[in-house]
Amino acid sequence: MPDTVDPALVPELLVEDLDRSLDFWCGACGFTVAYDRPDERFAYLVLGSAHVMLEQVGVSRNWVTGALDRPLGRGINLQVTVPDSAALAARLDAAGVRLFMQPETKWYDLGTEEAGVQQFLVQDPDGYLLRFQSSVGRRPVLPHT
């Protein structure tokens, strides 16, 4: 694993086909495999400071609390900060990957200032929603008149 601080939260996503997921996460989105356990169909992926674990359903022990209906991960989107989300969106588009939401610039209220991001959304092969974003800076919130 890279010499970085271990994150306090790392999602572990159950997937139907680990090879297909690795093609998407690593091949299309730029993650790398930090380590894997091929006999368990498990891989630990890293992109910058973003970490995620993928595990194929039905191979090792899976902690499943209910039916795994598609799309998996309904109700959650995983934000991944990248240096240039527009370049990644263009690369995915060129590879024929359909975006769930086209790139946009959005300003989020933080109280006394706003944080700007350029972002887009894409679903992985199992339906997990990924929101790739890049910072476009911060600006003060103007008082309401």
Side-chain angles (χ1 to χ4, degrees):
M1 220 161 87
D3 294 328
T4 60
V5 175
D6 290 333
L9 176 67
V10 181
E12 183 171 352
L13 308 179
L14 294 177
V15 299
E16 292 177 352
D17 180 331
L18 183 62
D19 294 326
R20 181 181 65 183
S21 293
L22 290 174
D23 284 345
F24 175 82
W25 286 80
C26 297
C29 296
F31 281 79
T32 58
V33 176
Y35 63 89
D36 62 357
R37 293 190 292 272
D39 54 322
E40 296 179 21
R41 304 296 293 150
F42 170 90
Y44 191 107
L45 310 182
V46 176
L47 176 62
S49 60
H51 296 223
V52 65
M53 298 177 283
L54 303 178
E55 181 180 5
Q56 187 167 310
V57 174
V59 177
S60 188
R61 66 180 188 164
N62 304 136
W63 295 310
V64 179
T65 59
L68 293 176
D69 297 325
R70 293 187 56 81
L72 301 180
R74 283 181 271 168
I76 186 172
N77 78 75
L78 303 171
Q79 177 181 295
V80 182
T81 299
V82 294
D84 188 347
S85 63
L88 178 55
R91 190 170 79 225
L92 291 170
D93 185 54
V97 176
R98 188 179 70 80
L99 300 183
F100 183 84
M101 183 189 81
Q102 293 298 314
E104 69 171 7
T105 299
K106 176 79 173 161
W107 291 89
Y108 291 102
D109 187 352
L110 304 178
T112 60
E113 62 182 352
E114 293 178 319
V117 296
Q118 188 174 52
Q119 62 186 3
F120 70 93
L121 292 136
V122 64
Q123 285 183 286
D124 87 337
D126 293 287
Y128 292 104
L129 193 57
L130 307 176
R131 180 165 45 110
F132 288 98
Q133 66 96 25
S134 301
S135 175
V136 294
R138 293 187 176 213
R139 65 187 185 192
V141 173
L142 299 174
H144 293 87
T145 55

